[in-house]
Amino acid sequence: MDTAISEIMNQMEELASKARLEMDRLTRELAKLENLREDLVTRLSDEGNNEHVRRQLIETDEKITILKKTRQDIQDMATARIRELRTSAEKLRDQKVEKLKRRYEKIAEERDALRDEIIPEAEQELREHLENKKKYDGQLLTITNEINTLNRLDIPTPNLG
């Protein structure tokens, strides 16, 4: 796999992991506040109209609302960033695929040219060269025979007397 794409995927996983940890932490805090809220509601119903308990309940409700919003904001930001990273990885992947496709097409064209044109032409040239070699071999043999015949020819010197 491509290293740039791997790095982006690692960033996505790291971001998701951090977001999950923070959301889990906020969920635990939220659970504590919701338990406190239940206790405050019970106290308020048991004690009647206690202003101090009512104020604590309002403050707890506000904290719960803030924590829920914070948790949602973290999830939304992480989701948006992960989408951005995924889009980047997909774009990078698509670019690499297109580059490889162009390279593939070029190599396929060169292979087809070799198969369809260059190799047949080279084979034809080879046949022609082999025919020329046979012709030259024949000519050399003929010349060698003529040389040998001439070398064996004894040219006598005529006697003048």
Side-chain angles (χ1 to χ4, degrees), residues 7-32:
E7 287 176 15
I8 292 173
M9 290 172 64
N10 289 340
Q11 288 176 13
M12 288 175 17
E13 189 55 43
E14 184 178 325
L15 178 64
S17 178
K18 285 180 181 179
R20 278 191 298 269
L21 287 174
E22 184 61 16
M23 288 171 49
D24 288 347
R25 185 187 69 77
L26 292 173
T27 300
R28 286 189 301 276
E29 284 184 40
L30 193 56
K32 290 177 189 174

Side-chain angles (χ1 to χ4, degrees), residues 56-95:
Q56 282 183 316
L57 181 60
I58 291 170
E59 288 173 5
T60 303
D61 283 343
E62 288 173 355
K63 288 178 184 177
I64 288 172
T65 302
I66 290 170
L67 278 178
K68 283 182 178 180
K69 178 162 179 11
T70 302
R71 187 176 64 180
Q72 188 62 47
D73 288 348
I74 289 171
Q75 182 175 354
D76 292 347
M77 285 187 293
T79 300
R81 181 64 181 137
I82 287 170
R83 256 192 230 117
E84 289 174 10
L85 289 169
R86 182 171 183 230
T87 301
S88 295
E90 288 172 343
K91 183 178 177 183
L92 188 58
R93 177 201 61 203
D94 293 346
Q95 288 172 347

Side-chain angles (χ1 to χ4, degrees), residues 130-157:
L130 289 172
E131 286 299 316
N132 285 340
K133 181 189 174 292
K134 286 180 188 176
K135 182 177 80 175
Y136 294 145
D137 284 346
Q139 290 175 355
L140 289 173
L141 187 57
T142 302
I143 291 171
T144 302
N145 285 336
E146 288 179 19
I147 290 172
N148 288 336
T149 301
L150 288 173
N151 280 335
R152 285 189 304 259
L153 179 65
D154 187 28
I155 305 176
T157 306

Side-chain angles (χ1 to χ4, degrees), residues 33-46:
L33 287 174
E34 287 174 345
N35 288 337
L36 175 61
R37 183 183 186 287
E38 287 178 25
D39 291 344
L40 291 171
V41 167
T42 303
R43 277 181 57 198
L44 193 58
S45 66
D46 289 347

